[in-house]
Amino acid sequence: MAQGTTKGPGVQADEVEAAMAATRVLVALSARSIAGLDGRITLPQFRVLVMVASTGPVNLGAVARALGVHPSNATRACDRLVTAGLLDRRDDPDDRRNLALELTDAGRELVDRVMDDRRAAIAEILGRMPGEQRRALAPVLASFAAAGGEVPAADVWALGWTTSADAPEE
């Protein structure tokens, strides 16, 4: 898209490019937070932890559907997380034919640490902005998020983010 041309009614190319640049920063920040796990777990495994953190106990079928993988792949990922002490597998009290997957304390601490690291990185970036621009940014980003519509929870988990309901109270 050439500079100065529009993409949609009244949208300028520089507006689109500014949003693209901000997106690149946020995606890089997300990738760095996962890279900070030193290979202890993979991104798909972290996605499982985030899903369980966001929803509470789930079964293997729900994990496979949310990740878009074959149930055997979900089982292997969950087995590794159980072995690592990050996930616990128990009989589902509502349906004994299923196993319920829950975070262990270590799993919760890992997810919380990654999310806290992401929040700290965002706060650091915001802290480098002039105060007036920073204060104006929150309503602009909220408007952007609202215009984008509600992101399905599975898409949020797929990116390794918890849902906004899981954000700590300030």
Side-chain angles (χ1 to χ4, degrees):
M1 177 165 38
Q3 189 67 13
T5 62
T6 61
K7 180 74 174 175
V11 177
Q12 298 296 314
D14 62 337
E15 296 166 338
V16 171
E17 292 308 313
M20 293 289 293
T23 301
R24 285 190 298 274
V25 169
L26 292 171
V27 169
L29 181 149
S30 181
R32 278 194 305 269
S33 69
I34 298 298
L37 298 177
D38 297 327
R40 289 187 339 167
I41 63 171
T42 64
L43 178 58
Q45 291 167 346
F46 185 71
R47 290 166 52 193
V48 171
L49 295 177
V50 169
M51 185 176 101
V52 176
S54 298
T55 65
V58 297
N59 65 32
L60 283 167
V63 170
R65 284 188 301 278
L67 297 179
V69 298
H70 190 273
S72 64
N73 292 340
T75 299
R76 281 192 295 277
C78 291
D79 286 347
R80 289 183 188 114
L81 292 169
V82 168
T83 300
L86 301 171
L87 200 60
D88 192 23
R89 200 176 12 217
R90 300 176 187 207
D91 286 335
D92 185 338
D94 297 328
D95 183 351
R96 295 192 44 85
R97 294 172 295 169
N98 286 314
L99 295 173
L101 302 166
E102 297 181 70
L103 289 181
T104 63
D105 289 342
R108 170 59 67 187
E109 289 171 11
L110 179 69
V111 170
D112 288 348
R113 188 185 90 225
V114 169
M115 294 307 154
D116 288 347
D117 288 350
R118 287 177 180 179
R119 286 183 185 92
I122 290 170
E124 183 179 322
I125 293 167
L126 290 170
R128 293 193 298 256
M129 294 176 63
E132 186 176 312
Q133 290 179 347
R134 185 176 59 245
R135 286 184 292 280
L137 184 61
V140 170
L141 289 176
S143 178
F144 180 84
E150 183 65 26
V151 176
D155 291 346
V156 172
W157 305 323
L159 298 171
W161 288 86
T162 57
T163 57
S164 59
D166 295 315
E169 299 284 327
E170 295 297 326

